[in-house]
Amino acid sequence: MRELELSLLKACPVRCAYCPQDLLIAVSRDMLSPRMTAVTLAQVIENASAGMKDGEQLQVHWAGFTEPIKHPGFLSLLLLVDGFRTVSDHVLYTTGEGITEDIVWCVAQLPVAVSFHIDPRMEGDVWPLIDSGLIRRVLPKAWYNVVAAVSSRSKRAEIRRRVGGKVKFSRCISRAANIDRSKAAVTHDCEVTCVSVGKRKRPVVIPDGTAVACCNDYGLKLKLGNLAEQTWNQLDYSDVLERQKHPCVDSICHTDCHKAKRL
């Protein structure tokens, strides 16, 4: 199984408190493509599928650094990717901002696992479809990550009742030290590794086709190449692997990345 993560916009209009969008906006300011086009995406999927062995398949994750549903052509892109014979299934990570009944019904017809990242303090687009029971009926296997701190047992119980599905209450996760923390950062002074550059690689592709190694790399420092121009096997992880060996190098891998593991 190959895994690919798509970041469809160069910046996200949903300004979640935990997300370092200011950093992404700064580094993508000169990017000519504000959103991924169907032409670029088709080339990315074709190149990501190149050189596959018999029986090997591609799992596509719709997330990256931005809200996928806020792309105005999200449904057409989803259907485009699903039409590739090499694509086995999808995982959609979404705040639910921009979601409609049409999107819910379309997603339900495809092999898509859905993870809602919800904030009960925000009455966004997803809540009317949750409260009406539509999402519960049409996407009964969807799961929910609550991205706001909820310590009260009664409030947690109310959220569980309201969504009617599997709920996880997340701890505050630093996107590789790109956001302020309420407690001291975790730093590593030795060689590290992580799942994103190990056996289970999942490069993140931004609108112009550039691939980076990690979904925590909002500063776009860990570039691997361009999947709109290169094949999967041509992506170059050598610089990332070298950075992980040396904590003195300016590397997000050594400073408060929840994916990094000491060697």
Side-chain angles (χ1 to χ4, degrees), residues 110-125:
L110 301 173
V112 182
V114 183
S115 174
F116 288 103
H117 289 225
I118 56 174
D119 186 340
R121 300 169 302 182
M122 297 173 58
E123 290 297 321
D125 297 335

Side-chain angles (χ1 to χ4, degrees), residues 117 144-150 156 167-173:
H117 289 225
Y144 302 82
N145 284 284
V146 178
V147 296
V150 181
R156 290 191 174 205
V167 181
K168 178 182 177 182
F169 293 89
S170 301
R171 62 183 176 86
C172 177
I173 296 176

Side-chain angles (χ1 to χ4, degrees), residues 215-229:
C215 62
N216 278 353
D217 184 20
Y218 281 77
L220 307 182
K221 294 181 178 181
L222 307 179
K223 294 181 180 179
L224 309 171
N226 189 303
L227 259 182
E229 302 170 357

Side-chain angles (χ1 to χ4, degrees), residues 191-202:
E191 185 176 351
V192 298
T193 187
C194 73
V195 67
S196 295
V197 300
K199 293 182 179 180
R200 187 183 167 188
K201 294 179 174 63
R202 191 200 294 174

Side-chain angles (χ1 to χ4, degrees), residues 149-205:
V150 181
S151 56
S152 166
R153 287 187 179 181
S154 61
K155 288 183 179 180
R156 290 191 174 205
E158 170 61 21
I159 292 169
R160 288 193 179 95
R161 183 202 62 76
R162 193 175 180 186
V163 302
K166 187 184 298 183
V167 181
K168 178 182 177 182
F169 293 89
S170 301
R171 62 183 176 86
C172 177
I173 296 176
S174 175
R175 301 295 182 184
N178 290 330
I179 59 175
D180 293 334
R181 296 270 292 188
S182 59
K183 57 183 179 181
V186 177
T187 59
H188 299 291
D189 58 358
C190 62
E191 185 176 351
V192 298
T193 187
C194 73
V195 67
S196 295
V197 300
K199 293 182 179 180
R200 187 183 167 188
K201 294 179 174 63
R202 191 200 294 174
V204 181
V205 179

Side-chain angles (χ1 to χ4, degrees), residues 39-40 43 67 74 88 94 125 134 139 144 161 207 257-258:
V39 172
T40 298
Q43 192 62 60
E67 169 55 60
F74 168 71
S88 61
T94 176
D125 297 335
L134 177 71
L139 300 173
Y144 302 82
R161 183 202 62 76
C257 178
H258 73 286

